[in-house]
C-alpha cells in the first residue's frame, strides 16, 4: 500500500491509474524490473510538485502487478539528505530519486561539501515534466514590457528589488542572469518559497518576482500583479498572451523549471532502459497528462542521453552565473 497522502497527492494517484494496462504490457516485455518493492525518494515535503509526480509514478509501477511502490519524503538540507540516501542505495533500480532542476544543476556549484557528485554517482533516467517561469512586477511599477523595465531601472540610483524563493534557487539565478544580460542593477530579496514573496510584490514591498507560472497565474489573471515575460524559449499554453524574453530582445534566455528521475550510477543499462519505458507509459496516459497540465506541468519523455546532456549543459550555465555574480549560499 502507498502511505496516506495529502489531498493533492491523492488526486495525483487517481490520475496515474489510467493507461496502466499499457504499463503492464511494457513491464512484462522489458527487462525484469522491478525485482523487489520500489522506493521513490522525493527529498521534499508532501504536497508539492516533486511529491505529486513521485506518487503518480509509484501508483503506475504498483499497478503493473509484480511489486509495491512507495514514496519516501526524505527531507532535509535542501534535498541533499534524500539525494545522498539514493547514492548509497543498492544499484538494482529499485530505489529511485525524483528532484527538481536546481538540485542537479545549481547546488553542485553553489554548495560546499556535498556528499555526492551528480555525474559520478547517478544515472539520469528521464526528464519527467517542466513548468514555465515568469517575471511579474508590482502594479505601481511604471513599466509594462522588459525594454521599459530596463530603461526604468537605469534611472534608479539603487536599481530595482526582485524576489525569489531563496538564495541559490533557479529563479534567483534567473534574475542574476537577466541583470547580467541587460546590465541592469537589481537587488535580490530571498524568501522561503514563493507565497510570501508574491504577497510582498502585490503590496509593493518588492518590485519584481521571478517565479513559476503555476504559482502566480491566479494573481496575474486577477490583476494583482503584472506579467512582464516568460523566461522560457516558447510561450506557455496556459498563458499565451505573455511574451518570452527572447521575443523582447533578451537573446539566449531559456530557463525552465523541471523535474527528473535518476537512479544510482551502477544500475545496469538494460534496467535503466526498462525503468524509462515503464515510466514513460505512466506519464503519457491521457488523463495523467491532462491533470498535470492543469497544475501547470507539461509532461515530457526526454530520456537517458538527452536528459544527461541537459544536466551537463545547465550545470555549466549556472556555474558561470554563480561565479561571475559571486553568489554564495552559506551551506
Amino acid at each position: 500500500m502507498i502511505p496516506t497522502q495529502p489531498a493533492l497527492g491523492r488526486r495525483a494517484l487517481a490520475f496515474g491509474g489510467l493507461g496502466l494496462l499499457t504499463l503492464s504490457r511494457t513491464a512484462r516485455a522489458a527487462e525484469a524490473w522491478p525485482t523487489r518493492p520500489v522506493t521513490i525518494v522525493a527529498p521534499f515535503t508532501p504536497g508539492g510538485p516533486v511529491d505529486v509526480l513521485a506518487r503518480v509514478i509509484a501508483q503506475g509501477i504498483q499497478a503493473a502487478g509484480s511489486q509495491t511502490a512507495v514514496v519516501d519524503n526524505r527531507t532535509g538540507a535542501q534535498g541533499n539528505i534524500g539525494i545522498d540516501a539514493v547514492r548509497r542505495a543498492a544499484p538494482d533500480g529499485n530505489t529511485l530519486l525524483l528532484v527538481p532542476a536546481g538540485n542537479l544543476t545549481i547546488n553542485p556549484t553553489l554548495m560546499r561539501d556535498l556528499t555526492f557528485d551528480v555525474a559520478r554517482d547517478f544515472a539520469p533516467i528521464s526528464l519527467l515534466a517542466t513548468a514555465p517561469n515568469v517575471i511579474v512586477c508590482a502594479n505601481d511599477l511604471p513599466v509594462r514590457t522588459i525594454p521599459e523595465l530596463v530603461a526604468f531601472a537605469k534611472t534608479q540610483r539603487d536599481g530595482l528589488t526582485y524576489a525569489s524563493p531563496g538564495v541559490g534557487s533557479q529563479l534567483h539565478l534567473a534574475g542574476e542572469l537577466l541583470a547580467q544580460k541587460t546590465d541592469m542593477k537589481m537587488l535580490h530579496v530571498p524568501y522561503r518559497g514563493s507565497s510570501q514573496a508574491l504577497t510582498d510584490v502585490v503590496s509593493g514591498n518588492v518590485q519584481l518576482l521571478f517565479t513559476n507560472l503555476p504559482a502566480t497565474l491566479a494573481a496575474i489573471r486577477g490583476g494583482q500583479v503584472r506579467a512582464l515575460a516568460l523566461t522560457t524559449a516558447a510561450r506557455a499554453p496556459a498563458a499565451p498572451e505573455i511574451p518570452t524574453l527572447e521575443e523582447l530582445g533578451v537573446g539566449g534566455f531559456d530557463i525552465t523549471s523541471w523535474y527528473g528521475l535518476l537512479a544510482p550510477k551502477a544500475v545496469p543499462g538494460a534496467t535503466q532502459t526498462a525503468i524509462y519505458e515503464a515510466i514513460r507509459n505512466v506519464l503519457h496516459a491521457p488523463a495523467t497528462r491532462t491533470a498535470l497540465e492543469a497544475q501547470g506541468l507539461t509532461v515530457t519523455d526526454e530520456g537517458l542521453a538527452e536528459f544527461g546532456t541537459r544536466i551537463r549543459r545547465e550545470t555549466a550555465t549556472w556555474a558561470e552565473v554563480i561565479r561571475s555574480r559571486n553568489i554564495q549560499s552559506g551551506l
Side-chain angles (χ1 to χ4, degrees), residues 39 66 79 103 138 148 157 171 185 205 218 240 275 280 302 306 325 330-331:
T39 298
S66 61
N103 287 93
E148 289 179 1
R157 184 182 66 180
L171 293 158
K185 185 176 181 180
N205 292 330
I275 299 168
R280 182 178 184 274
E302 183 175 285
E306 291 176 295
R325 307 291 291 185
L331 296 177

Side-chain angles (χ1 to χ4, degrees), residues 54-55 77 160 175 197 202 283 321:
R55 294 185 188 283
L160 301 176
V202 170
L283 289 171
V321 173

Side-chain angles (χ1 to χ4, degrees), residues 46-290:
V50 171
D51 178 69
V52 168
L53 280 166
R55 294 185 188 283
V56 169
I57 292 169
Q59 172 70 13
I61 294 169
Q62 185 161 300
S66 61
Q67 297 290 342
T68 59
V70 298
V71 174
D72 181 359
N73 296 101
R74 188 78 65 91
T75 62
Q78 298 185 33
N80 293 328
I81 289 175
I83 295 172
D84 189 63
V86 177
R87 176 187 68 84
R88 293 182 283 104
D92 56 10
N94 296 313
T95 302
L96 304 172
L97 172 69
L98 202 158
V99 287
N103 287 93
L104 302 177
T105 64
I106 295 174
N107 289 1
T109 301
L110 188 68
M111 295 184 174
R112 301 186 297 269
D113 302 324
L114 291 180
T115 57
F116 59 86
D117 180 281
V118 174
R120 181 194 66 210
D121 296 326
F122 295 98
I125 300 298
S126 179
L127 180 70
L128 302 173
T130 63
N133 298 323
V134 66
I135 306 167
V136 302
C137 72
N139 283 328
D140 62 359
L141 200 66
V143 302
R144 292 189 174 274
T145 69
I146 291 298
E148 289 179 1
L149 178 72
V150 174
F152 178 72
K154 292 180 179 179
T155 69
Q156 306 300 299
R157 184 182 66 180
D158 297 324
L160 301 176
T161 56
Y162 81 95
S164 86
V167 173
S169 66
Q170 187 194 55
L171 293 158
H172 169 204
L173 298 191
E176 294 296 318
L177 183 59
L178 180 62
Q180 186 178 66
K181 283 181 171 288
T182 60
D183 194 29
M184 183 168 50
K185 185 176 181 180
M186 295 199 299
L187 174 66
H188 178 231
V189 183
Y191 287 79
R192 292 186 176 180
S194 294
S195 179
Q196 185 58 49
L198 178 60
T199 298
D200 277 5
V201 173
V202 170
S203 66
N205 292 330
V206 184
Q207 293 164 307
L208 299 166
L209 172 63
F210 286 69
T211 184
N212 299 132
L213 180 61
T216 323
L217 192 55
I220 295 170
R221 293 277 188 259
Q224 296 170 281
V225 293
R226 185 181 305 128
L228 298 178
L230 297 178
T231 68
T232 47
R235 295 197 183 201
E241 74 280 6
I242 305 176
T244 67
L245 283 171
E246 185 82 28
E247 292 177 71
L248 298 173
V250 184
F253 212 108
D254 182 13
I255 300 170
T256 303
S257 291
W258 52 259
Y259 308 90
L261 191 72
L262 300 95
K265 184 75 169 183
V267 169
T271 303
Q272 294 179 33
T273 300
I275 299 168
Y276 168 70
E277 291 296 337
I279 285 156
R280 182 178 184 274
N281 279 284
V282 172
L283 289 171
H284 283 274
T288 302
R289 291 174 63 89
T290 299

